[in-house]
Amino acid sequence: MAQAIDAGERVLRIAVAGSPNAGKTTLFNRLTGLRHKVGNYPGVTVERKEGAAVIDGEMVDLLDLPGSYSLSAQSPDEEVARDVLFGWQPGCEPPDVVLIVIDAAHLERNLFLTSQIVELGYPTVLALNMVDVARAAGMVIDADELSRRLGVAAIPVVATTGEGLAELGEALLRARPSAMRVPLKPAVEAEAQRLGALLEREGVAPALASPVALRLLSSAEGLADATRQYGPALAAEVTESRRALEARGVVWLGCEASSRYSWLREVAAATVVQAARPEGLNRHDRIDRVLTHRFWGPVVFFAIMAVVFQSIYTWAGPAMDAIDSGMGAVGAWTKTHLPAGPLNDLLSDGVIAGVGGVIIFLPQILILFFFLAMLEETGYMARAAFVMDRVMSRVGLHGRAFVPLLSGFACSVPGIMAARTISNGRDRLATILVTPLMTCSARLPVYALLIGAFVPKGRILGGLVSQQGLALFGLYFLGTVMALSVAAVLKRTVLRGPTPSLVLELPPYRQPNWRNVGRELWDRAGLFVKFAGTIILSMSIVLWFLASFPRHGDGTASDIQQSYLGRAGRVVEPVLRPLGYDWRVGVACLSAAAAREVVVSTLGVLFEVGKDDADGQAKLGDRLKQATWPDGRPLFTVATAWSLMIFVALACQCMTTVGIVIQETGGWRWAMWLVAYTTALAYFGALITYQGLRLAGLG
Amino acid sequence: MDWTAVEPEVSVALTDSPEGSLVRIARVQTSAEDSGRLRELGVYEGAEVTVLTQGDPVVLSIAGTRFAICRRCACLVAAALAC
């Protein structure tokens, strides 16, 4: 490893490791600026963040490992961090240098993972992050003493301001491995040595052999890991070692933790020269008392959520209008400046109208991600998890399931991926299967369109609450209630099992780091635009083709009723009529099987919004209001609009989601199950809504 | 659960430890999965933690960091007052 640094032939690869809440992401963002890319580890869907940084004129690669508390990984995220460091991760070479990010104000807790990583023998550097917070709390930390004890450089830094980063860079280029080992019980030490020698014969690097052996020996999953990585013969040796320890009266399970803790308490005592005032109740605890209170906790939670959704609806308006008129102008320009013909139609009616109809929702999506990032950054997310745990545990879900479900408000795909932090297989599956019912941002365009057109603008409750905002909140609420109900049913039937416990670190409340929030929004905007430019673009072209072909003998576009799309719509119309849909709405639902944003662009094509160029683009909502059945009755009544919204709320119309479920559950079975139950739910939900509202006289 | 029956020293469930008290963990009797996580976070037999607030969750201070443990898990952890 050390030679690679001196040779300077290839780019130095640095892995950034650390516990959650230590400021790892902030430091990574600081070091890499905008030079980073987000991808996936092959085989698993843990997010892989890589970036480039320039240190002393030298280009280095940084790999941001998922945050973890220890190397005896308990979730897929933590497994990736461990696998990269152990050289178990396929397609990912072990790093040249490891940078460990530590929260200086909580040195002792962070030393657990730190000591485990230092023992792996990589050239290592510690970043003592948030020393400003520690100083403000009255702590004095002896970085030199820490460095001496661990045998690696320990650099005080403040990632948020950039303090100490120059020194950190220098230390990274000069990093050397440490010979430090945490003293273990002699019997454990002997067995770890014995297994280590066997591992070396299996090709494990000498420095890694003993730490890997210790992990196999003392963690509950050690046997399974040994079998998977090194075969049954080695697993038998692990069992042998465990028996030897039992014979000597040593408990092997967790034997590592107690030795390590007694050592690191000593180190912490020697390096934290002046400890913070002893633990009494502080300001944060008093805030916590309110925010996790049995009554006030949920009140605050729902108030925050209500503000979030109200803001999405009102703040996005001006930006959306600007995008709308911009797209309209581009469409009109194309229409007049290109020669008339199929290409002109394709660009103005297919591409610009279709993609424009989706891009317009970028402001709303960014506002939602802004709030999610804020909740995470300020530390409120962990409190909300406990507030929600009371509901979650009642339906048999883990409190952590709240994070995937809340992410599901943005998009089920990252939501389902976030379910990886749930270690219990059954609970993870239940969470994955109900997350698509959470109202994702892709449903927002459909809601925005229909609510804007069919829910009155007035305010109720003395002008406090807008009716449109309330309708939107109601739809989000419906999705959430359905998700929880289905989870409750699942946990009582096919996925029956005990309710797991919620244990979370409560990070101190802090100012959001605007750099991190901005970075998150930048990434999300990029992904959404890419999505619009690929999936939505190709769908729009296909739809335009299906809607304008076959052409008449003279080459003019066929009437949409005679097109391929119209014919397909007519075939399904009888099935959808009880829901209040004609063939055009049916076509929109069919086309949305790929991605539900397409509902809006399809309606745009079918109700010919793109063709209206005389006085700018007429609003699609107005077109819907004017649409009629063949006999002249209005097509879109309040009942139809709500029926369609309920359908969209409950159906899993998203190929990407189905894809990610296949990947995360390891097969088609549960994905097909998901599609079947959501479609049934959507059909009957819409049926009841439409027929009910008609009976109430709103049809 | 009556912890005094299994422990020579007087230990009670974490949920019954007074707020503000410094306690020494005596037993972690949660599921294997939960106790693995708790041990890594610093809730292991012999560890000293401060009970900050009672309620749901129970908030502990472990080596200066605040951890919240849902009540139904905390009641399976036994601790004795450490003086």
Side-chain angles (χ1 to χ4, degrees), chain A residues 62-78:
Chain A
L62 286 153
L63 175 64
D64 191 14
L65 296 179
S68 54
Y69 287 109
S70 104
L71 289 182
S72 51
Q74 301 226 340
S75 67
D77 265 346
E78 290 193 333

Side-chain angles (χ1 to χ4, degrees), chain A residues 426-445:
Chain A
R426 273 186 316 269
D427 292 295
R428 204 173 145 227
L429 189 52
T431 309
I432 287 173
L433 290 176
V434 302
T435 299
L437 285 172
M438 302 302 284
T439 302
C440 70
S441 52
R443 288 179 174 101
L444 211 47

Side-chain angles (χ1 to χ4, degrees), chain A residues 634-693:
Chain A
L635 168 62
F636 266 91
T637 60
V638 172
T640 319
W642 276 102
S643 163
L644 185 55
M645 284 193 279
I646 299 290
F647 188 90
V648 170
L650 300 177
C652 178
Q653 301 164 297
C654 179
M655 272 184 340
T656 323
T657 301
V658 176
I660 202 84
V661 170
I662 292 172
Q663 191 177 311
E664 293 286 298
T665 59
W668 285 84
R669 188 171 152 233
W670 288 108
M672 290 302 105
W673 203 92
L674 169 71
V675 171
Y677 99 79
T678 49
T679 306
L681 216 56
Y683 186 86
F684 290 106
L687 183 69
I688 293 167
T689 307
Y690 181 68
Q691 300 299 345
L693 287 175

Side-chain angles (χ1 to χ4, degrees), chain A residues 74 125 221 290 310 313 365 385 409 510 523 662 670 684 689:
Chain A
Q74 301 226 340
V125 174
E221 299 81 19
V290 178
Q310 201 86 352
Y313 215 72
I365 285 158
F409 279 144
R510 37 183 181 230
D523 284 350
I662 292 172
W670 288 108
F684 290 106
T689 307

Side-chain angles (χ1 to χ4, degrees), chain A residues 69-70 72 74 78 106 108-109 112 257 261 265 279-282 285 289 292 294 386 389-390 393 400 423-424 499-506, chain B residues 19 22 33-34 36-44 46-48 50 52-54 56-57 59 61-70 72-73:
Chain A
Y69 287 109
S70 104
S72 51
Q74 301 226 340
E78 290 193 333
H106 299 108
E108 189 176 325
R109 179 179 61 75
F112 192 89
Y261 267 108
R265 253 188 310 209
E279 309 133 359
L281 284 193
N282 61 22
D285 297 310
R289 265 196 206 276
T292 62
R294 193 160 288 277
F386 278 99
D389 186 53
R390 285 169 219 147
S393 59
R400 270 175 191 257
S423 41
N424 179 297
T499 302
S501 308
L502 184 64
V503 180
L504 280 183
E505 179 181 346
L506 294 181
Chain B
E19 286 188 356
L22 180 67
E33 193 187 324
D34 287 345
R37 165 85 350 170
L38 285 171
R39 284 204 177 88
E40 281 173 10
L41 295 177
V43 182
Y44 56 95
E48 291 189 352
T50 306
L52 286 175
T53 57
Q54 284 290 353
D56 193 6
V59 181
S61 174
I62 306 167
T65 307
R66 281 155 166 74
F67 280 96
I69 302 178
C70 67
R72 47 174 208 287
C73 179

Side-chain angles (χ1 to χ4, degrees), chain A residues 96 117 129 148 173 214 234 276 291 311 325 342 369 411-412 436 457-458 461 473 481 516 533 606 660 681 683 685 692:
Chain A
D96 302 313
I117 295 178
N129 193 18
R148 206 180 56 74
L173 296 182
L214 185 58
L234 198 107
L291 293 187
S311 313
S325 48
F369 275 108
C411 175
S412 326
K457 286 214 165 56
L461 289 181
F473 186 76
V481 167
N516 287 356
L606 289 170
I660 202 84
L681 216 56
Y683 186 86

